[in-house]
Amino acid sequence: NLPDFVDTQVKVQEQVSPLQKAVQSLWGQTQPHAVVLGEGGMGKTVSLLRLWEDWLESSSTAVPVFIALNEYNVLREAERADFVLRSIARNCGLAENLTDEWKNALWDILRKPSSNGCPSILLLLDGFNEVSAERTPLLVELNRLAQEAQGIQMVITSRYVEIRNFQ
């Protein structure tokens, strides 16, 4: 278990609530995805790990998948295609080598909206600001997931500066 000294409360406009509740409040929205912003050392990664841990212990049917986005940097350019899909497959123990057949099967799962209103997969994407390699393929994949994968919810952490510089 993670230490309790990290507060995983979030403030949305003037309302303060636990991160898990804030994430759940987005279910059923047109855009259920969230970005957690903060300065370095503010606890974004620990908050995301706490959310992952809480999700594993909850009765939710959503499967939390934590992906450290800085892993993208160490891959060769050819290996960066489908980074998020490969990470999901690896983290869920589906396949180490993502063949087209596995990729299509995974897309079938991700495209299918859940019947109970909650996502089938909660993608916890940590450290967008730490991606120093060419981001275009990653952004194309994240955009495609946001548009087509009705069975997921993404929570992305980043520093303020990086998001402002990127827009």
Side-chain angles (χ1 to χ4, degrees):
N1 288 348
L2 292 169
D4 289 331
F5 62 82
V6 175
D7 187 8
T8 56
Q9 300 282 317
V10 293
K11 185 175 183 180
V12 179
Q13 292 165 0
E14 294 304 313
Q15 186 175 358
V16 176
S17 63
L19 182 57
Q20 184 173 7
K21 185 176 180 183
V23 168
Q24 287 175 322
S25 73
L26 296 172
W27 293 354
Q29 302 287 326
T30 306
Q31 289 295 327
H33 313 297
V35 177
V36 177
L37 297 172
E39 298 300 331
M42 296 298 293
K44 298 174 299 295
T45 297
V46 173
S47 294
L48 212 56
L49 287 168
R50 169 85 41 82
L51 180 62
W52 174 78
E53 186 177 67
D54 290 347
W55 226 273
L56 287 175
E57 295 172 357
S58 77
S59 59
S60 173
T61 57
V63 175
V65 177
F66 182 91
I67 300 172
L69 292 176
N70 63 359
E71 292 177 5
Y72 183 80
N73 298 328
V74 299
L75 299 174
R76 292 186 308 252
E77 189 173 339
E79 296 172 324
R80 290 184 185 141
D82 300 312
F83 169 74
V84 175
L85 279 184
R86 291 175 194 282
S87 298
I88 293 169
R90 185 179 67 249
N91 286 315
C92 292
L94 297 177
E96 190 62 35
N97 186 12
L98 195 61
T99 63
D100 286 342
E101 185 178 358
W102 273 106
K103 196 184 312 182
N104 291 336
L106 192 50
W107 267 109
D108 288 344
I109 292 168
L110 297 175
R111 281 190 182 106
K112 184 178 179 186
S114 66
S115 57
N116 61 0
C118 77
S120 353
I121 295 178
L122 178 65
L123 278 180
L124 305 171
L125 305 170
D126 185 48
F128 179 78
N129 59 287
E130 296 174 19
V131 177
S132 57
E134 169 56 43
R135 294 181 179 157
T136 303
L138 178 61
L139 290 169
V140 167
E141 183 179 13
L142 292 175
N143 188 51
R144 183 176 179 204
L145 285 164
Q147 299 299 318
E148 296 180 29
Q150 297 176 30
I152 69 160
Q153 180 178 25
M154 291 185 279
V155 180
I156 303 171
T157 65
S158 187
R159 291 186 182 174
Y160 290 118
V161 173
E162 197 61 33
I163 291 294
R164 267 189 261 125
N165 290 342
F166 187 70
Q167 293 175 343

